[in-house]
Amino acid sequence: MKKLFSLLMALCLLCAALPVVAENANSDRAAAIRAKFLEKADEVVVTDTSVIFTDAASETPLEITKNPGKTAVLYGSFVTMWYEAGGKADGVIGGSSSIKLYELYIGRDVTQDEGVTVLAESSAGKNWNTENIIAFQPDLIVCSTAMSGYKTISAPAQAAGIPIVAMSYNDFSDYLKWFKVFCNLNGQPELWNTVAMPALDKVVDVLCRIPENPENAPKVFAMFSATKDNITANTSNTVLGGMISEMQAVNISDADNTSGAERIEINMESVFAADPDMIVVQCHASKEDDAAQLDRVYGGNAVWQSLRAVKEGKVYFLEPHLFHYKPNSRFADAYVTLAKILYPEIDFDN
């Protein structure tokens, strides 16, 4: 009887300990995910007067004085983050695409704000009048390494003695780095805790709700619907593909990616062989326009129509403002949206 009692007590203690062990394991996992996302941001050094960080062009860290006077932000998506981080740009990019971003993320067309000058009508550097930008006499230029921006403006800016920041912003960890740089440059360090950290908390929470190495990991075909009926496959080297991998899913396009490219041509034979559980389409224009484009390209394709995901209606079109443009703090919404598609059985809202 004593042995039976002892055994029952041991079982009770074990059962009581299991939730604690599970909680500690999940806590360790959350800490590891947070640390990974914050690696780049942790390298940013903030002093009383300046912010020190590496950009995409300099071999040594830049030291930029806080509260720069006149700032030119020469990339539409970076303007939206500059404002989210408490700043006001004096020189910006105009044009319909950028204005759409400003209205969507800032809530208004900032090109119409008093004191704001449109320095170019496109984020594409090849279209810039560099003489006009330099004549604007900004105290700081923020630009992108994409679309020839930095290549176009770097030499004129350096010749004029204007500090220039070359940004490469691809994923959530990049967002956290640049938001830390921006909010401290703008003298608004408190926004790190009220804007960036809640977004990080939500992303970590989403990823921790997904089982590690799930037995039946969803197989996903990730497509990118660009212009002119150009549709390619997203590998795990893209932002969307990376998010799919972080969510423990299988990106079937990686099997054909022998060159390490971000996007590759679609091999319909490989797609048919993999028979993905679902298809996600990164939209470039709008969900409606890109759905129509996909139908034009593959609507009459017998192999496409035979795919299980197509027959079961599991083709999902992703909003451009979350998955094509830089969503900034709305990365949290993007992670939730994708997670609900990949794991509909999990409650990501509560």
Side-chain angles (χ1 to χ4, degrees):
M1 181 64 75
K2 288 183 178 180
K3 289 184 177 180
L4 178 60
F5 179 76
S6 298
L7 180 59
L8 289 173
M9 287 297 295
L11 288 172
C12 289
L13 291 173
L14 178 60
C15 290
L18 285 176
V20 176
V21 172
E23 182 178 346
N24 289 340
N26 208 43
S27 177
D28 291 343
R29 183 183 179 194
I33 294 172
R34 289 179 67 87
K36 186 68 175 177
F37 279 127
L38 286 170
E39 280 182 353
K40 296 176 183 178
D42 287 343
E43 294 175 355
V44 176
V45 177
V46 181
T47 71
D48 290 340
T49 59
S50 63
V51 183
I52 304 168
F53 56 94
T54 57
D55 71 353
S58 302
E59 295 182 358
T60 57
L62 300 177
E63 182 170 358
I64 305 296
T65 303
K66 291 180 179 178
N67 300 305
K70 185 188 288 188
T71 304
V73 184
L74 303 179
Y75 198 77
S77 292
F78 299 166
V79 172
T80 64
M81 197 204 301
W82 186 260
Y83 277 73
E84 185 178 86
K88 173 188 175 298
D90 301 281
V92 301
I93 296 295
S96 58
S97 296
S98 293
I99 289 173
K100 181 180 178 181
L101 288 180
Y102 305 153
E103 292 174 339
L104 184 62
Y105 291 103
I106 302 173
R108 67 183 186 280
D109 175 8
V110 297
T111 66
Q112 300 301 310
D113 286 0
E114 184 177 356
V116 174
T117 299
V118 174
L119 297 176
E121 293 296 331
S122 167
S123 293
K126 63 182 181 180
N127 298 325
W128 294 351
N129 184 323
T130 56
E131 291 183 0
N132 286 347
I133 295 173
I134 299 304
F136 184 66
Q137 297 184 318
D139 297 297
L140 176 67
I141 293 175
V142 177
C143 65
S144 174
T145 54
M147 301 177 71
S148 301
Y150 179 75
K151 182 179 179 180
T152 298
I153 198 64
S154 59
Q158 289 166 6
I162 301 171
I164 181 169
V165 176
M167 284 182 61
S168 175
Y169 170 14
N170 296 309
D171 56 21
F172 185 53
S173 61
D174 286 330
Y175 163 73
L176 293 171
K177 169 190 174 176
W178 289 113
F179 188 90
K180 185 176 180 179
V181 170
F182 283 3
C183 73
N184 282 284
L185 280 180
N186 288 320
Q188 303 282 342
E190 69 279 1
L191 294 179
W192 177 250
N193 290 322
T194 60
V195 177
M197 287 301 93
L200 175 60
D201 290 341
K202 185 60 179 178
V203 171
V204 172
D205 177 69
V206 167
L207 295 179
C208 283
R209 290 175 188 242
I210 298 170
E212 287 191 272
N213 304 313
E215 184 177 345
N216 296 310
K219 293 186 298 180
V220 186
F221 180 38
M223 309 176 76
F224 175 55
S225 177
T227 57
K228 298 180 180 178
D229 292 340
N230 179 24
I231 303 176
T232 54
N234 275 315
T235 73
S236 290
N237 293 326
T238 61
V239 179
L240 174 59
M243 291 171 67
I244 290 170
S245 296
E246 289 168 356
M247 294 183 186
Q248 310 291 319
V250 177
N251 186 342
I252 67 167
S253 296
D254 288 342
D256 288 328
N257 188 20
T258 58
S259 64
E262 292 188 350
R263 296 188 174 97
I264 59 176
E265 293 298 317
I266 293 173
N267 183 333
M268 195 54 69
E269 290 184 5
S270 295
V271 177
F272 177 76
D275 197 18
D277 299 302
M278 60 202 65
I279 297 168
V280 293
V281 184
Q282 178 189 350
C283 297
H284 177 270
S286 69
K287 292 171 67 174
E288 296 75 19
D289 290 345
D290 289 339
Q293 174 174 288
L294 189 69
D295 185 63
R296 285 196 304 272
V297 176
Y298 289 110
N301 187 304
V303 175
W304 173 263
Q305 295 298 336
S306 72
L307 295 175
R308 178 163 48 89
V310 175
K311 291 191 291 186
E312 294 179 359
K314 294 182 179 179
V315 180
Y316 303 94
F317 295 88
L318 305 175
E319 291 283 4
H321 75 275
L322 291 179
F323 293 93
H324 181 61
Y325 301 115
K326 311 299 186 187
N328 301 334
S329 63
R330 297 186 190 184
F331 256 115
D333 296 331
Y335 273 86
V336 171
T337 298
L338 184 60
K340 287 180 176 180
I341 292 172
L342 301 186
Y343 299 94
E345 71 280 5
I346 298 177
D347 183 2
F348 292 99
D349 293 322
N350 299 307

